[in-house]
Amino acid sequence: MRYDCLASTNDLAKEMAASGASEGVALLAREQTAGRGRLNRSWSSPPGEGLYLSLILRPQIKVAESTVLTLAAAVAVAETLTLDYQVAADIKWPNDILAGNRKICGILVESSIEQDSLQYAVLGIGVNLKQREFPPEITETATSLFLESGQMIEPEEFLPHLLERIETWYRLVTSAPAAVIARWQALSSFARDCQVSVSSREGVLVGTTRGLRPTGALLIELEDGQLREIVSGEVRRVCKG
Ligand code: BTN
């Protein structure tokens, strides 16, 4: 379903999912006036400049397995950028897509949970495509497909490439989650031997990444050799690893 302007594709998708919309419904907006990101941030969504997409999914997985779903989405976006548009994409745990060390895509998965199983998940994806510049607060940290490669790609043109890759990786979330984890690790420079700090509600941890657990949690080795599983938080590279 295509919309000229929405507050947030995720908001409408959640309403539709709660009223019974079926798996696979896709909402695409040309503009969002209240695009949302993780950790209560906003997502800059000027008209026609980016892809603003939400997909309604009903995966047969447990809540503990839902991180793999977000990792699969990140793999699909990173592959689309790298293989279809020759933009070297990196993935920062769990699902920020970077190009030239700046954010080119963000993913926001919002789920409804009942008795430890997912009723539905809304997979929201924002990809910066045609922006030449960004609002001052993200000018140092954001980039677009145009800025990275000189290609002016319309959202409508990018969409089928992305959907095809999402379909492939989404199937594997239930049938072969280990393949999703392996591919994520292969695509991310943050997966192993990377010095990071992780900020979460519990405070800040500093350590070296040691790959992903089968659940999608990030394993960190602290300075004293202890291993910690990170299930949420903001990861930052401390120095090139
Ligand atoms: C993040 O990096 O914090 C996640 C950003 C997610 C943005 C997308 S754009 C389409 C969908 N609708 C929203 O309001 N947010 C997501």
Side-chain angles (χ1 to χ4, degrees), residues 208-226:
T208 307
T209 58
R210 297 292 184 229
L212 299 186
R213 304 284 296 142
T215 55
L218 179 66
L219 211 52
I220 304 254
E221 184 176 339
L222 305 182
E223 274 175 3
D224 62 4
Q226 271 187 71

Side-chain angles (χ1 to χ4, degrees), residues 130-210:
K130 296 167 61 183
Q131 287 94 333
R132 292 170 189 271
E133 52 189 26
F134 290 92
E137 62 278 12
I138 55 169
T139 195
E140 297 293 321
T141 54
T143 192
S144 68
L145 182 56
F146 172 72
L147 290 173
E148 293 304 311
S149 69
Q151 302 171 79
M152 267 296 176
I153 304 297
E154 296 296 331
E156 291 284 347
E157 187 184 337
F158 192 84
L159 181 67
H161 294 274
L162 177 61
L163 288 178
E164 197 179 323
R165 295 195 182 275
I166 289 176
E167 207 174 326
T168 301
W169 287 104
Y170 178 55
R171 283 213 187 96
L172 295 169
V173 169
T174 40
S175 64
V180 176
I181 301 283
R183 186 65 176 138
W184 190 100
Q185 293 187 138
L187 289 168
S188 171
S189 73
F190 288 79
R192 290 182 195 282
D193 305 326
C194 176
Q195 288 242 295
V196 293
S197 70
V198 185
S199 320
S200 70
R201 265 183 249 151
E202 288 91 65
V204 180
L205 288 176
V206 176
T208 307
T209 58
R210 297 292 184 229

